């Protein structure tokens, strides 16, 4: 059996093969369950339009089921010479069920297979992210409620500014994470269209394929009709997913920056139980908040992956280009990092210990200067004059 | 009169002043109309809660109106020593209407003023972008309809792949631009909350300000209640606006890349009337499509501004930081570039001339190889075998 | 007189003109002195190879001198319809000195003119940056020497780690900035080749131009012989300049982050005289280190401009593309920001006030835990066991 | 035995452990040989200053040798609970050679271990890159020489401009790659300083460690004396390595873009033997240049990794931060991609087949318009007038 779906008489040069496939087998092994789902829908459609018989459909169904189980057990991986999971699946069917394997690729291309598989992956990732986000919002809400009356200095320019409370500070993150939910919905709506049948980007001629059937089977909301649009959405749809992961990660990174500052010995406003902190290999005194450092750094990573995707798309004309394969890593890594960050925050936010003594001590007089100004305003002095008086008093004290 | 709203006894070092203000006066001069709108709403509210009298409110209204007119005529610019438009406005009122100028800043800070002003700017920019996008979608639709039956080679890997039509190709951009509209709506929804009254990020104590009134006056959908959230949304909201500009610009850049390829002498599928192309200073033979090169490059610029914004936000804890001022340039430039790109496409898409002869000539036999495969499949041969036969025939011909 | 050097019978559409020229007239007005220098060298060469007479050369020289003076006084700016400074110069000569203006463009193109002009700009920018860097290194060295014995806590993970001194901390920046000098030299060496005569990227046929003469006149180290190389170095050479600006700005940004942390009220290790800090429009108590915030943000801006340049180059094949014009902004802004940052640091580093009392107070016992471990090691206990003992003691105290 | 070098009484929460360690075990397994080299030098130094005996040194040497062999056979990998290769090595020694394992960490920290290990990796990577680059320059030179007389159209704005030759076009890449060599040298010079002994960033007190000995053992050029500088160079040194990888990858990407264009059926100037091209899974007619697409995309990836590193560094104050661990991926991936690109180009450049017939056919009359202008100039007409005449003639023909 030939290794590649397109194998020509000349064998592909091994250096070219290794270079072009790169890490794609790793990512395709991760994406395989989504290809299986799409392949099953495709087979059902082929049966309906009589390209394959019901018996053949059943064989394919069984084969796909077997692959799914092997994959779960870690026994089905994509090999370098297969290039991708699409080939690995077709070869498995042909090897175990013969002739029918040669029919599964009727009326599709690896291009629309990849599009469909990645779209299913993105849909599930966005759904999971929504759930995690919702849960995290609840955690912030609960913690914010619990701490609503604990006074805390508010900072601007990293200098003490005016009084606030721990509850308001935490409530800000509650609101900010909550407001990302509609952005996720918009990305989901964009992505929720079935590209199967766009083939290599120019559709299928000569077959009356039933896109509505596959749309329903895979729970897409609608068909993506224009095949050239299906093709140019590769990368752009990934980008709209990764952009949301970036928005989340950047916000989590801001929270992590806050925590890094507020857990320094000099601030000491908050701490975490010892099992959440780490030590040093030479300094026995250390108690470090590595989890927030990695969270801060992960914001940078996800943003960097977004840049990578944008760079990949830059300068590409329409039609499939192999470069687009390289978009799998930035997509998958962004999703994995972001969901792991959300999971950790869900675990950690409720565990934050508030050091009330230290906070009380930090509520120094200067924080109330603006209040003094407003008291003067209430007594009838114009705001700018009242401000001037209080400022002059403070400068005199220096 | 003091130059700065915060002026202390020590005068700010001029090198520090020049360095920290930078180009901000340019951008604040652009944003000034939005600050005027917000200041008027704020004054109305101060009147309602009796911080200023009706007479004082009228003076402020008149002053703001005067500034608006001066600005329209290019006679009101923000000066370096004023730092920002907020200061320029307050100083104008005080200089021309005395005492009341000293009251306008009651119950607000430059932080929430800047937040409000930029949000009004973003709302209007997103609305304008939606209108332009809608118009452009119509232009693509019309042109696509006009050309729906003109055959054209479809490309993958920049090699001829399968037949398509000019209409399908243009229709892909119609759909792709159209699908960005809901993303703009989601960004709009996020941004559409009134931050006025969040002051320096910690609200106002001692005044019962009426946020609902200012919300209504400025046509926001709701109040952004948590002041710390208002503060941390600085930069993040800009980013969600710029992200949409990036999505549009990247798509326009892809269309420009197509046009650059398809207008080469070697392809010659399309052209533009001479008044849309440029020449060379030494080569009298040249006919260049600079507008598409700049459009392709502008995709890069907008993406770069998005990176700039992300970098600016990276590592910042909560609370206002002066770094955020530097986010005005990437926001405004992204909006200006993107809307100018849309306007140009609206003008140019209808003008594209289709070279039917050249397209007809390019519809070579190899484009129909997949069709041959499907004919064999229809005659009962399994897809993979049919593919093999056609491929072998083609290789034999080489 | 025609407005453009390439003007054809059809007049360029104004929307296309405005879109393609964009902000280029601003940047070309800045770059004009370098074009004048290159044009003078070119004219001298044309005289030598007898394309123009000595009398004509003198006219050109006078004209270029006049433009230089007008430019200095702000009276010579590039107009939109001229597109660029190359056109503006040629038109000035023709308008004031007639026929000879029509000869100045012999054996050159706007492409090699732009390449030469930008390279002269980059050379001067890199030289100026080297001088500023050298001066800054001296300032750090002096301050470091002054403070070498003042103890200061060293931090890892933003937690107190081990003792260090203010002098060592400042000395680190001295070394780090100093080590950037050879990187600047490498960029300078790369850029220091004369592209004049590469014309539109394919050289000049039919004229024996003397590249050695122009090389000497403009003080380049050598001729860039291959004209296609001259052409593809557009953008790549800018990038190698901007990369060094990025390295400097990122380091300055790190120092600014340190200063922002160490000047918080909670740390209070350092301060600056009042004329270097700013206040708030509503909080009379504030004393802010805006200059370090802007410096931190400027690190982000310069890095963002580097990304922009990289994005602009991504996907471009060889040969000139108009997109490359857009590289002027990221180059010039990066240089201007970086040199202004260096100038400010040169002014500010010597002014840093060390709060010795606060530093003394901060040298708490835990900082010496590693020293205790080493004392045990000196007494014969294995390192890992000594570490365990000290750690156990510390945990018992908690 | 404890799993971590810093283990405290409270066990680290597994979610935090998984989150903070992330993929670091993968990268540390790759970097392990460099840590072994550094550990051997460190042990030799400890023996010299009598912290360990000669017998103990020999045990360590044997242990490190064993680990090296196990690693080569793929039998030594870093485990999640070990966190890093530093811990894995110390534990191996202690497990197999007892007491001495507890001494190896004397006078060092995981911070300077990581710094040293990564610097050794970067030095070797830069050296290897230099060798590959030198070889590639030779390949371009040979191919350029071979094709120096084959005429080829030169393009600007993707339109035919003036005549050039295949040899000149290839020679441009020869020169451009060659000119990157001094940039690599500058990066190498920067990196070539020994950070071992900087410990956690604040040096070692109480031991007279011999940095000159370790410097010599590891073939560094000099000691990096200031320990805080050693610490802040983490990330910045990686960036100066990755920046060079970016410069190479971007240039390779430009060459790949040229090849993608010039191998389209419409241009057909060049081709590669069939074993270097790939086919399609549904279109039997396809012959694709995937290797150049991946090369073009890899330019985007490496640039993206550079952005990631810059983002990671943005906002970080001095002193070690755990975020920096995340810099290993962008560094290692950039190096691996870049060296694989160079290796493939070395293989492929000599294989490029020049289609002389097609090139001859493409040398159309318009390419010689500038030559006509120069002939008129030679006959005494001013350049701008000559240009006008030729242009008018061309427009008349249209």
């Amino acid at each position: 059996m030939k290794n590649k779906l397109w194998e020509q008489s000349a064998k592909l040069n091994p250096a070219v093969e290794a270079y072009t496939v790169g890490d794609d087998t790793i990512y395709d092994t991760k994406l395989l369950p989504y290809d299986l789902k799409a392949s099953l829908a495709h087979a059902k459609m082929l049966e309906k339009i009589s390209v394959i018989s019901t018996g053949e459909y059943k064989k394919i169904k069984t084969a796909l089921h077997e692959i799914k189980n092997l994959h779960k057990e870690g026994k089905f991986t994509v090999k370098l010479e297969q290039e991708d999971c699409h080939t690995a699946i077709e070869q498995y069917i042909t090897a175990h069920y013969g002739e029918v394997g040669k029919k599964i690729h009727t009326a599709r291309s690896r291009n629309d297979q990849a599009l469909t598989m990645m779209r299913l992956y993105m849909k599930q990732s966005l759904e999971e992210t929504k759930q995690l986000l919702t849960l995290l919002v609840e955690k912030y809400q609960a913690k914010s409620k619990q701490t609503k009356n604990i006074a805390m200095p508010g900072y601007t320019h990293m200098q003490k500014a005016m009084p606030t409370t721990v509850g308001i500070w935490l409530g800000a993150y509650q609101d900010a994470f909550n407001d990302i939910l509609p952005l996720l919905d918009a990305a989901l709506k964009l992505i929720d269209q079935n590209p199967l049948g766009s083939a290599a980007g120019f559709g299928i001629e000569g077959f009356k394929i039933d896109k509505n059937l596959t749309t329903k089977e895979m729970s897409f909301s609608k068909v993506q009709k224009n095949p050239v649009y299906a093709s140019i959405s590769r990368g752009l749809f990934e980008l709209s997913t990764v952009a949301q992961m970036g928005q989340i990660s950047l916000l989590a990174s801001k929270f992590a920056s806050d925590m890094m500052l507020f857990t320094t010995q000099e601030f000491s406003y908050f701490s975490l139980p010892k099992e959440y902190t780490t030590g040093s290999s030479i300094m026995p005194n250390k108690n470090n908040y590595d989890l927030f450092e990695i969270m801060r750094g992960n914001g940078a990573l996800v943003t960097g992956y977004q840049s990578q995707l944008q760079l990949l798309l830059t300068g590409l004309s329409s039609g499939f280009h192999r470069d687009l394969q390289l978009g799998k890593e930035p997509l998958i890594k962004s999703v994995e990092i972001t969901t792991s960050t959300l999971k950790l925050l869900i675990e950690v936010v409720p565990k934050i210990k508030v050091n009330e003594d230290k906070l009380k001590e930090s509520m120094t007089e200067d924080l109330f200067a603006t209040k003094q100004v407003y008291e003067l305003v209430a007594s009838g002095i114009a705001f700018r004059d009242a401000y001037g008086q209080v400022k002059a008093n403070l400068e005199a004290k220096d």
Side-chain angles (χ1 to χ4, degrees), chain A:
Chain A
M1 183 167 41
K2 283 175 175 181
N3 266 320
K4 286 168 192 55
L5 298 187
W6 51 271
E7 195 114 308
Q8 42 206 6
S9 47
K11 209 179 140 38
L12 184 62
N13 175 287
V16 174
E17 181 172 85
Y19 185 75
T20 51
V21 174
D23 289 340
D24 201 46
T25 54
I26 297 171
Y27 296 106
D28 262 26
T29 300
K30 288 190 184 224
L31 292 164
L32 187 122
Y34 305 94
D35 199 2
L36 293 173
K37 186 176 180 180
S39 291
L40 185 62
H42 184 67
K44 191 159 193 177
M45 192 277 289
L46 290 180
E47 181 210 8
K48 200 190 155 199
I49 66 167
S50 306
V51 168
I52 59 174
S53 69
T54 304
E56 286 175 321
Y57 167 65
K58 282 183 182 162
K59 279 186 192 167
I60 289 173
K61 195 175 171 179
T62 309
L64 296 175
H65 199 71
E66 287 166 7
I67 297 171
K68 195 175 174 180
N69 286 333
L70 286 168
H71 181 263
K72 266 186 195 158
E73 297 163 22
K75 290 179 186 158
F76 193 94
T77 50
V78 181
K79 291 178 212 122
L80 173 65
E81 64 275 16
Q82 290 175 325
E83 296 185 319
D84 50 46
C85 60
H86 320 307
T87 305
I89 291 172
E90 181 173 325
Q91 288 185 353
Y92 180 93
I93 305 176
T94 309
H96 293 79
Y97 294 90
E99 199 65 9
V100 69
K102 298 180 180 174
K103 295 185 178 174
I104 177 76
H105 209 59
T106 317
R108 75 175 180 186
S109 167
R110 286 183 298 176
N111 285 320
D112 59 340
Q113 255 191 292
L115 276 170
T116 310
M117 163 181 92
M118 290 181 74
R119 219 160 280 181
L120 290 170
Y121 170 77
M122 288 189 275
K123 274 186 67 177
Q124 168 152 328
S125 300
L126 287 165
E127 290 292 0
E128 190 196 350
T129 305
K130 275 179 65 180
Q131 284 167 24
L132 291 169
L133 213 45
T134 306
L135 199 52
L136 178 59
V137 168
E138 287 167 21
K139 300 295 180 192
Y140 272 113
Q141 187 171 27
K143 193 79 188 176
S144 166
K145 210 173 159 186
Q146 218 182 82
T147 56
K148 71 176 171 181
N149 294 321
I150 306 175
M152 172 181 174
Y155 293 82
T156 62
H157 305 264
M158 297 183 72
Q159 298 286 324
K160 283 183 180 179
M162 286 171 66
T164 187
T165 72
V166 175
I168 293 172
W169 168 67
L170 289 168
Y173 287 97
Q174 172 197 330
D175 288 356
F177 278 113
N178 193 54
D179 272 0
I180 294 177
L181 285 165
L183 298 177
L184 290 171
D185 281 327
L188 257 173
K189 202 191 151 194
L190 173 68
I191 284 162
D192 195 11
Q193 26 189 334
N194 178 17
L196 196 62
S198 62
F202 311 103
I204 299 294
E205 252 189 308
F207 283 96
K208 284 238 178 264
I209 60 172
D210 185 344
K211 292 188 185 178
N212 291 326
L213 190 152
T214 55
T215 299
K216 208 184 136 200
E217 285 296 313
M218 296 185 283
S219 307
F220 278 110
S221 287
K222 62 173 179 179
V223 170
Q224 189 172 26
K225 283 182 194 156
N226 186 315
V228 174
Y229 177 34
S231 164
I232 65 171
S233 59
R234 179 90 187 258
L236 284 168
F237 280 19
E238 281 89 325
L239 193 53
S240 86
T241 302
V242 172
Q244 310 322 317
M245 301 299 149
Q247 201 86 0
I248 293 168
S249 297
L250 210 48
L251 185 58
S253 170
K254 185 179 278 292
F255 182 68
S257 292
D258 275 358
M259 287 304 292
M260 286 307 295
L261 186 65
F262 294 148
T263 55
T264 56
Q265 280 117 323
E266 288 74 10
F267 281 80
S268 289
Y269 293 165
F270 307 110
S271 65
L272 282 179
K274 280 233 162 177
E275 59 270 29
Y276 291 90
T277 63
T278 61
S280 152
S281 67
I282 61 159
M283 299 170 285
N285 53 306
K286 293 305 299 282
N287 210 17
N288 297 326
Y289 290 83
D290 296 38
L291 85 164
F292 291 121
E293 293 180 289
I294 293 293
M295 197 175 287
R296 193 174 52 183
N298 276 339
L301 285 201
V302 173
T303 313
Y305 285 127
Q306 194 178 343
S307 288
Q308 245 180 3
L309 249 179
Q310 290 167 323
L311 282 154
L312 270 170
L313 294 174
T314 298
L316 289 189
S317 54
S318 65
F320 178 73
H321 302 279
R322 183 81 183 260
D323 325 41
L324 294 163
Q325 162 191 302
L326 301 174
K328 286 176 191 167
E329 178 179 305
L331 171 67
I332 294 174
K333 287 265 179 104
S334 297
V335 167
E336 289 181 352
I337 291 172
T338 306
T339 51
S340 71
T341 291
L342 289 173
K343 282 173 193 165
L344 197 68
L345 278 176
I346 288 165
E347 159 114 18
V348 161
V349 167
K351 299 286 194 322
I352 295 170
K353 295 197 280 188
V354 180
N355 187 345
E356 297 198 41
D357 290 345
K358 187 75 190 178
L359 280 163
K360 199 168 286 175
E361 193 186 304
S362 71
M363 296 303 294
T364 45
E365 203 191 345
D366 49 338
L367 288 162
F368 300 94
T370 310
K371 208 181 160 193
Q372 282 176 48
V373 174
Y374 285 138
E375 284 163 6
L376 292 175
V377 171
S379 77
I381 300 177
F383 171 79
R384 191 56 63 209
D385 292 331
Y387 171 95
Q389 281 185 30
V390 175
K391 189 170 188 79
N393 285 344
L394 284 169
E395 293 204 338
K397 277 191 205 168
D398 264 5

